[in-house]
Amino acid sequence: MTDRLPGFSTLAVHAGAQPDPTTGARATPIYQTTSFVFNDADHAASLFGLQAFGNIYTRIGNPTNAVLEERVAALEGGTAALAVASGHAAQLVVLQQLMKPGDEVIAARKLYGGSINQFTHAFKAFGWNAAWADPDEIESFERAVTPHTKAIFIESIANPAGSITDIEAIAAVARKAGVPLIVDNTLASPYLIKPIDHGADIVVHSLTKFLGGHGNSLGGIIVDAGTFDWSKDNKYPMLSEPRPEYHGIRIQETFGNFAFAIACRVLGLRDLGPALSPFNAFMILTGIETLPLRMQKHCDNAKAVAEFLSTHPAVSAVNYAGLPGDRYNALQRKYAPKGAGAVFTFSLKGGYDAGVNLVSNLRLFSHLANVGDTRSLVIHPASTTHSQLDDAAKVRSGAAPEVVRLSIGIEDKEDLIADLDQALRA
Ligand SMILES: *Cc1c(COP(=O)(O)O)cnc(C)c1O
């Protein structure tokens, strides 16, 4: 080894992993066990009291998951991470540390449809209110700030249209309001955008998408940037006040710049329970090893497909930030210069019916509700993921009736273009 700091591709393969000390196994083993034997009674007591780090029970932590956590923290430039069962579980666990009934989270209107549902209905039932702001109009975030605001939540590349968010501008609003900026970096992955470099305090992912990358395992992760002062103004008592369940320790005082990741583990995951299976952690770790290779191919293919669609007579518009004329092209060149991602939308002249027809005529593209698979995927949001929204909300979130969403895979781009061409003719 040299003194050089390892580059992104090296971290994607190695960060967090060592040969297994007992067996020499080079790939990270799947520690498929619920629990771990204590050395002695004192060891057990110190683990339960958070005086020592170690394995207790897989709901709280597991060695396979720990490698995944260290790897994603390294790729994102955070201090620590916590893996959980899904992207939605990550969002739940993050907000549980920050919100009390009556508190507010300001959320970008352009979000994954499932997140809009989660914030609107499930979180509302906890008394956590969402105030919606428009990521294309930074002032709308400023206007939404109230004394009850506890966090701002955005996507770096936003679903479904692949629009690029001005993270630095929204981070400035969060700093001024004294609240953390949470960035869902699922569609970009740290290969394209590292939100912490642009002012994010917390990064969340659905590992289910590009990080796992093969459409075979659900997972989620929370990355702590280590940047936020949780004790200021006593706004975040879960982190700043003595915890009765841990002999009165204060999480921030004890754990410093990885206090948020610890709180998510020992208060969130421990008590809410959405643990990631070590088998899924293994699958996702294997996926991450090829993230840089896959992501570049996803982006290059997506650009070629977007260019093809933009000249097609059946298509009225293509929303792909990688196209020179796109309204997000300047933001893409600033935030995601390696590529604009692989998820984008386009509009059909034939409206809702043309959208429904297209998804039924495609052969190579799979019609399903997912993104970030090696395989190319298609969905008509208005009749599926966004069907619960009223018409105005559909348009506001980028899912108007004539809109089709693609997630471009890593096949040969000529085959993807040929399939779209035949389906658009049919
Ligand atoms: C899929 C997705 C989620 C939810 O993740 P799950 O793993 O399905 O729970 C959240 N945000 C974005 C941007 C997503 O694409």
Side-chain angles (χ1 to χ4, degrees), residues 227-247:
T227 44
F228 197 83
D229 179 3
W230 302 105
S231 301
K232 221 170 120 234
D233 307 329
N234 213 15
K235 250 174 149 163
Y236 301 99
M238 292 277 274
L239 288 122
S240 63
E241 291 299 298
R243 295 309 312 173
E245 61 271 69
Y246 290 111
H247 308 304

Side-chain angles (χ1 to χ4, degrees), residues 82 84-95 204-206 220-222 274:
L82 175 72
V84 293
S86 68
H88 268 14
Q91 295 169 190
L92 167 65
V93 168
V94 162
L95 289 181
V204 292
H205 277 280
S206 169
I221 201 157
I222 300 158

Side-chain angles (χ1 to χ4, degrees), residues 65-384:
N65 300 21
V67 175
L68 174 63
E69 288 158 353
E70 222 180 292
R71 186 160 307 170
V72 178
L75 293 175
E76 287 286 5
T79 53
L82 175 72
V84 293
S86 68
H88 268 14
Q91 295 169 190
L92 167 65
V93 168
V94 162
L95 289 181
Q96 190 221 6
Q97 310 320 307
L98 307 178
M99 307 279 284
K100 290 274 172 288
D103 285 343
E104 287 167 8
V105 53
I106 302 174
R109 261 186 222 299
K110 285 189 183 156
L111 288 188
Y112 172 67
S115 299
I116 296 179
N117 282 334
Q118 188 188 36
F119 282 62
T120 306
H121 303 292
F123 289 170
K124 178 101 197 194
F126 299 162
W128 306 346
N129 298 314
W132 300 99
D134 180 355
D136 298 328
E137 198 211 328
I138 303 302
E139 303 75 52
S140 68
F141 283 84
E142 279 175 48
R143 284 197 304 272
V145 174
T146 76
H148 300 292
T149 304
K150 289 295 167 69
I152 297 181
F153 186 98
I154 60 174
E155 292 180 1
S156 52
I157 297 184
N159 233 306
S163 46
I164 312 282
T165 305
D166 191 348
I167 303 171
E168 287 174 13
I170 298 173
V173 176
R175 258 195 308 280
K176 197 164 148 219
V179 302
L181 175 64
I182 306 164
V183 178
D184 180 341
N185 200 31
T186 299
L187 291 198
S189 90
Y191 176 74
L192 296 179
I193 300 180
K194 291 170 73 172
I196 292 172
D197 290 349
H198 302 290
D201 300 294
I202 298 161
V203 174
V204 292
H205 277 280
S206 169
L207 297 170
T208 317
K209 314 296 170 54
F210 292 99
L211 282 171
H214 293 71
N216 58 25
S217 305
L218 264 89
I221 201 157
I222 300 158
V223 183
D224 185 352
T227 44
F228 197 83
D229 179 3
W230 302 105
S231 301
K232 221 170 120 234
D233 307 329
N234 213 15
K235 250 174 149 163
Y236 301 99
M238 292 277 274
L239 288 122
S240 63
E241 291 299 298
R243 295 309 312 173
E245 61 271 69
Y246 290 111
H247 308 304
I249 69 163
R250 296 169 197 264
I251 303 271
Q252 172 158 36
E253 191 180 272
T254 309
F255 297 103
N257 71 355
F258 54 101
F260 189 75
I262 294 280
C264 287
R265 184 186 302 281
V266 305
L267 303 173
L269 187 56
R270 188 196 69 161
D271 294 350
L272 298 175
L276 178 69
S277 149
F279 180 82
N280 281 23
F282 171 85
M283 296 299 283
I284 294 162
L285 268 172
T286 305
I288 289 174
E289 293 179 10
T290 56
L291 175 69
L293 300 170
R294 284 186 291 106
M295 212 59 209
Q296 194 60 57
K297 177 89 171 173
H298 278 295
C299 289
D300 296 348
N301 278 357
K303 183 147 194 251
V305 171
E307 280 165 354
F308 162 76
L309 290 171
S310 66
T311 60
H312 200 284
V315 172
S316 55
V318 178
N319 301 301
Y320 186 62
L323 295 178
D326 191 84
R327 70 179 285 200
Y328 298 102
N329 189 245
L331 286 170
Q332 184 251 316
R333 280 183 280 119
K334 170 174 176 171
Y335 285 103
K338 290 200 282 273
V343 177
F344 66 95
T345 58
F346 65 101
S347 303
L348 290 162
K349 288 184 183 153
Y352 186 95
D353 294 339
V356 172
N357 282 339
L358 178 78
V359 295
S360 8
N361 288 323
L362 282 164
R363 295 175 194 145
L364 188 54
F365 281 77
S366 303
H367 178 207
L368 54 75
N370 190 23
V371 296
D373 193 327
T374 50
R375 288 153 277 260
S376 289
L377 315 175
V378 63
I379 200 159
H380 179 227
S383 61
T384 55

